[in-house]
Amino acid sequence: MKKILGYAMLGLVFCIPVNAQKNETLTLEQAIALALENNQGLKIQQKQLDIAANNVNPANAGLVPTIRLLGNASYQNSDTEGVIRTFAENPPTVSISDGSAATTTYSALLQADYILLGGFTGRYRYKLLQDERDLAYYRQQVVLNNTILAVSNLFLEIAKLQSQEELLRKNVKIGKDRLSKVEDQFDFGKVNGLTVLRAKTDLNQDLTALDQVLVAKNNLKRDLNFLIGIDAETKYRVSVSYQPPVRMEYEELKDEVRMDNPEIQLSKKGVEISESNLNLNNAARLPTVSAFANYGYFNQENDLQQLAEIQTLGYTVGIGLSYNIFNGGRTNRDIQNARLNREISQFQREEKVDQLLAEAVKEQNNLTLLQEQLRREEENIQAFRNSYQRTEEQFYNGKTSSLDLRDAQNALLNAEVTINNVKADIMKTSIRLEALKGNLISR
């Protein structure tokens, strides 16, 4: 499997406690491997690929002779009357009658049939079987690509919420310390009850926000656990190490999308299948020449006929010709429809290429904007930290109010959350670009 942005560059790590005594570490690559192993849709797709591969056989295309063993045995018993011409003047005929005439027949035949010439239909059928196999392969690649992308997106969304959780826990601790401080100030008459009430309200708001983040995070974890095939309630922690991705030039990006995107490869194979179907329909205009050979035994016993017993053992060879002179124009209509289907496949391929190229350019532009936003936020973050540290120091020295500390605290929280979210969004965008380039799946 190709690395997602080199995987090592992203440095994404799961730590999943298997039990209370032992923790196991699971990287994103391992999580993806589990998803690819356990995903039911992928299992179905693999079975369909196996079926399509099994069908690629010369026998399914009519390129090998068929050999059949035929056998028959019958017994007939009936009242029989027959009139035989004597070819004489008197009597001209002789009547024969038997109230219980029996006929017993046995036969066994080994026959081989082979199409010598059929307008190359065998070759076209075989090519069509190969195309169907390749089509199943590219469908599997699309599902693989989408599964890896879904796992990565869920993972990074969890990382965003986990980061918010950590920051909110810090905020809760700060809020508790702030409440304790203002309660002491209230006891000494330095603040009024409204200030204490405001501190309690701010703390409750932080606790509510923390609860909401925890619920959202745990729900996403259940979704991810389902995708990677582990127990829904498994607890773990994600660890994300951000490194900036390398930006590609637009033409280089487009070339990679055209070359390796699985959906484009799927649409190309659709065009090839429509071409093979057209060739197969054109072949129906040509005659079919077939050869046959058989070797068999025949035995018949008759109570009434002149030949009391007939027995043969030998072989027969022959050649047959079949040519469809008229079938109501069905062949011509089939060819016309095959040509239309080929044109449809070509339009669909062009539409898919244009759509994915536009999407790749959009993601590249989005990546550029996110990187610029991150640069600005990182320039501002130190100012928020310095402002909070100064305000906190002044608050505990009695030089500023509780509200000023709360404002500085919220400003720093929002800045830190924004930076972490932007970093995660950059990684998500980078992974989507890799998916568009077909780099998430094995080759």
Side-chain angles (χ1 to χ4, degrees):
M1 182 186 300
K2 290 188 177 181
K3 308 290 186 181
I4 296 181
L5 301 180
Y7 278 134
M9 184 192 82
L10 287 179
L12 306 176
V13 179
F14 272 66
C15 295
I16 300 186
V18 176
N19 53 53
Q21 288 76 34
K22 182 180 178 182
N23 288 344
E24 289 189 0
T25 299
L26 182 68
T27 65
L28 176 59
E29 189 171 14
Q30 291 169 335
I32 290 171
L34 281 173
L36 300 185
E37 179 182 355
N38 298 324
N39 185 274
Q40 296 299 323
L42 283 173
K43 290 181 180 180
I44 293 172
Q45 200 64 52
Q46 181 60 51
K47 297 300 181 184
Q48 291 176 341
L49 176 58
D50 292 341
I51 292 172
N54 286 337
N55 285 336
V56 182
N57 187 289
N60 287 342
L63 292 175
V64 298
T66 59
I67 300 176
R68 295 174 295 164
L69 179 63
L70 306 174
N72 181 54
S74 66
Y75 174 80
Q76 180 181 359
N77 191 309
S78 59
D79 294 339
T80 304
E81 292 187 3
V83 178
I84 300 175
R85 290 190 179 89
T86 63
F87 300 100
E89 292 184 2
N90 189 26
T93 61
V94 176
S95 297
I96 302 175
S97 176
D98 192 330
S100 179
T103 302
T104 305
T105 304
Y106 305 94
S107 66
L109 186 71
L110 183 67
Q111 176 155 326
D113 298 280
Y114 183 65
I115 297 177
L116 298 175
L117 178 64
F120 305 105
T121 55
R123 186 181 70 179
Y124 294 138
R125 287 195 188 99
Y126 190 74
K127 177 63 168 57
L128 195 57
L129 291 172
Q130 291 176 317
D131 290 338
E132 293 288 351
R133 175 199 60 196
D134 295 341
L135 190 71
Y137 169 77
Y138 286 118
R139 283 174 179 160
Q140 183 191 53
Q141 297 300 291
V142 170
V143 176
L144 281 169
N145 207 40
N146 292 339
T147 301
I148 295 172
L149 191 59
V151 170
S152 302
N153 284 339
L154 273 175
F155 183 90
L156 291 170
E157 285 299 319
I158 292 169
K160 289 164 70 171
L161 292 171
Q162 180 181 282
S163 172
Q164 292 182 39
E165 175 195 351
E166 293 169 351
L167 293 171
L168 284 169
R169 289 189 186 279
K170 289 170 59 177
N171 247 29
V172 167
K173 183 179 182 306
I174 293 171
K176 289 178 178 179
D177 293 341
R178 172 182 163 225
L179 176 59
S180 178
K181 177 67 175 178
V182 298
E183 285 176 340
D184 290 341
Q185 290 176 337
F186 177 77
D187 291 339
F188 287 98
K190 294 182 178 181
V191 296
N192 56 29
L194 184 59
T195 303
V196 176
L197 180 60
R198 178 61 186 271
K200 288 181 179 179
T201 301
D202 292 338
L203 176 59
N204 288 335
Q205 288 177 343
D206 289 342
L207 289 170
T208 299
L210 178 60
D211 290 340
Q212 292 172 343
V213 167
L214 286 173
V215 169
K217 184 192 73 173
N218 290 333
N219 286 339
L220 287 182
K221 280 188 176 180
R222 291 185 182 93
D223 292 339
L224 182 60
N225 292 347
F226 174 78
L227 274 181
I228 65 178
I230 63 177
D231 185 80
E233 301 305 319
T234 301
K235 305 298 181 183
Y236 52 82
R237 181 177 179 78
V238 299
S239 176
V240 180
S241 177
Y242 171 80
Q243 292 186 19
V246 178
R247 186 183 183 280
M248 297 181 65
E249 295 297 328
Y250 285 112
E251 288 307 315
E252 182 183 1
L253 173 63
K254 290 179 180 180
D255 288 342
E256 287 203 26
V257 172
R258 291 190 189 98
M259 182 67 64
D260 292 327
N261 183 277
E263 293 186 56
I264 290 179
Q265 299 304 316
L266 184 63
S267 63
K268 285 181 180 178
K269 187 53 62 177
V271 174
E272 294 180 20
I273 287 178
S274 65
E275 188 70 35
S276 296
N277 277 319
L278 177 58
N279 291 333
L280 189 60
N281 280 282
N282 278 324
R285 288 176 167 173
L286 300 177
T288 300
V289 179
S290 60
F292 69 92
N294 62 55
Y295 184 82
Y297 169 78
F298 177 83
N299 178 278
Q300 186 178 71
E301 298 177 0
N302 299 289
D303 288 348
L304 188 64
Q305 293 184 14
Q306 186 176 7
L307 293 175
E309 181 178 2
I310 302 173
Q311 180 174 289
T312 62
L313 177 67
Y315 66 88
T316 305
V317 295
I319 293 178
L321 172 67
S322 173
Y323 183 62
N324 193 347
I325 297 176
F326 177 74
N327 63 359
R330 188 183 68 184
T331 300
N332 289 335
R333 286 192 293 272
D334 289 343
I335 292 173
Q336 291 172 359
N337 290 337
R339 285 175 179 162
L340 292 173
N341 282 327
R342 181 183 61 179
E343 293 177 7
I344 291 172
S345 298
Q346 290 170 342
F347 291 146
Q348 290 173 335
R349 176 185 171 276
E350 292 171 3
E351 181 182 34
K352 179 60 67 175
V353 170
D354 291 341
Q355 172 195 341
L356 293 175
L357 289 180
E359 188 175 339
V361 171
K362 181 182 72 175
E363 295 293 348
Q364 184 80 307
N365 290 337
N366 189 36
L367 180 61
T368 301
L369 293 175
L370 286 170
Q371 288 176 313
E372 180 62 24
Q373 181 183 356
L374 179 61
R375 183 191 63 79
R376 291 194 300 266
E377 295 294 338
E378 287 180 335
E379 288 178 354
N380 297 335
I381 189 65
Q382 193 57 47
F384 287 112
R385 287 173 180 160
N386 292 337
S387 175
Y388 172 75
Q389 289 171 358
R390 286 195 305 269
T391 305
E392 183 184 39
E393 183 179 348
Q394 291 172 356
F395 172 71
Y396 283 105
N397 290 332
K399 296 181 179 180
T400 190
S401 69
S402 171
L403 294 179
D404 291 335
L405 178 62
R406 176 66 177 180
D407 290 341
Q409 174 188 353
N410 282 339
L412 178 59
L413 171 68
N414 292 334
E416 289 176 332
V417 168
T418 299
I419 285 179
N420 290 332
N421 286 349
V422 171
K423 285 181 177 179
D425 288 339
I426 286 175
M427 284 189 274
K428 287 174 64 177
T429 302
S430 300
I431 293 173
R432 283 197 294 270
L433 278 171
E434 294 302 304
L436 288 167
K437 293 187 290 184
N439 289 342
L440 301 188
I441 51 181
S442 59
R443 292 295 178 190

